[in-house]
């Protein structure tokens, strides 16, 4: 068998996984796309190992050994990734990556880092003169 067939299949799998990572909004689908990319790498490792073992008389099958390590690392990655996604889902109620990013930036009116001038004016009206002086000194 030619090396081109598994290499083309591996490239297609990797491109599909890359598209999934870049286009998906759900964290679980992003993790599945990363797994698809790792499987494309595994396919390449095994294909090149078989192709190179025909040329050498003494074969070490290092591509297959690296594939086993990659599978073990992928299993650990998906376990930790799913645990993080479940913890975030329990706390925030969503696994949507864009919503998680927006809520982490802190652009709400309750945030002290908010750039809304109305909320700063309302806060300064309620504060006493010593608090206003301390706030002005801290921002200066």
């Amino acid at each position: 068998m030619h090396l081109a067939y598994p290499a083309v299949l591996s490239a297609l799998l990797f491109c599909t996984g890359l598209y999934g990572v870049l286009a998906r909004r759900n964290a679980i689908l992003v993790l599945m796309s990363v797994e698809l990319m790792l499987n494309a790498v595994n396919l390449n490792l095994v294909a090149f190992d078989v192709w190179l073992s025909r040329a050498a008389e003494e074969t070490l099958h290092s591509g297959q050994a690296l594939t086993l390590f990659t599978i073990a690392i992928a299993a650990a990655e998906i376990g930790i990734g799913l645990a993080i996604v479940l913890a975030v889902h329990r706390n925030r109620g969503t696994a949507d990556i864009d919503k998680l990013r927006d809520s982490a930036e802190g652009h709400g009116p309750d945030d002290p880092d908010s750039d809304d001038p109305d909320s700063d004016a309302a806060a300064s009206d309620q504060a006493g003169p010593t608090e206003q002086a301390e706030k002005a000194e801290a921002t200066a």
Side-chain angles (χ1 to χ4, degrees):
M1 178 170 61
H2 295 284
L3 184 61
Y5 299 131
V8 168
L9 179 62
S10 175
L12 289 174
L13 279 174
F14 192 85
C15 289
T16 304
L18 186 64
Y19 173 74
V21 166
L22 296 176
R24 298 293 177 186
R25 304 234 189 293
N26 193 344
I28 294 175
L29 292 177
V30 170
L31 287 173
M32 289 174 58
S33 298
V34 169
E35 291 294 321
L36 201 62
M37 292 167 61
L38 287 173
N39 285 332
V41 171
N42 288 340
L43 180 62
N44 248 348
L45 284 171
V46 171
F48 275 97
D49 182 49
V50 169
W51 184 65
L52 290 174
S53 68
R54 291 182 184 170
E57 292 181 15
E58 295 181 15
T59 59
L60 295 175
H61 297 293
S62 58
Q64 293 177 12
L66 285 174
T67 298
L68 289 175
F69 284 118
T70 307
I71 290 170
I73 289 172
E77 174 257 336
I78 199 71
I80 292 172
L82 282 175
I84 291 171
V85 167
L86 286 174
V88 167
H89 190 305
R90 284 182 183 166
N91 288 336
R92 305 268 173 113
T94 183
D96 189 6
I97 294 173
D98 289 337
K99 289 182 183 175
L100 295 177
R101 187 177 339 149
D102 291 342
S103 65
E105 289 175 358
H107 290 293
D110 297 336
D111 295 330
D113 297 335
S114 178
D115 295 333
D116 188 18
D118 296 333
S119 65
D120 291 339
S124 65
D125 290 341
Q126 294 172 355
T130 57
E131 292 175 5
Q132 288 178 357
E134 290 175 4
K135 185 176 181 182
E137 186 179 328
T139 57

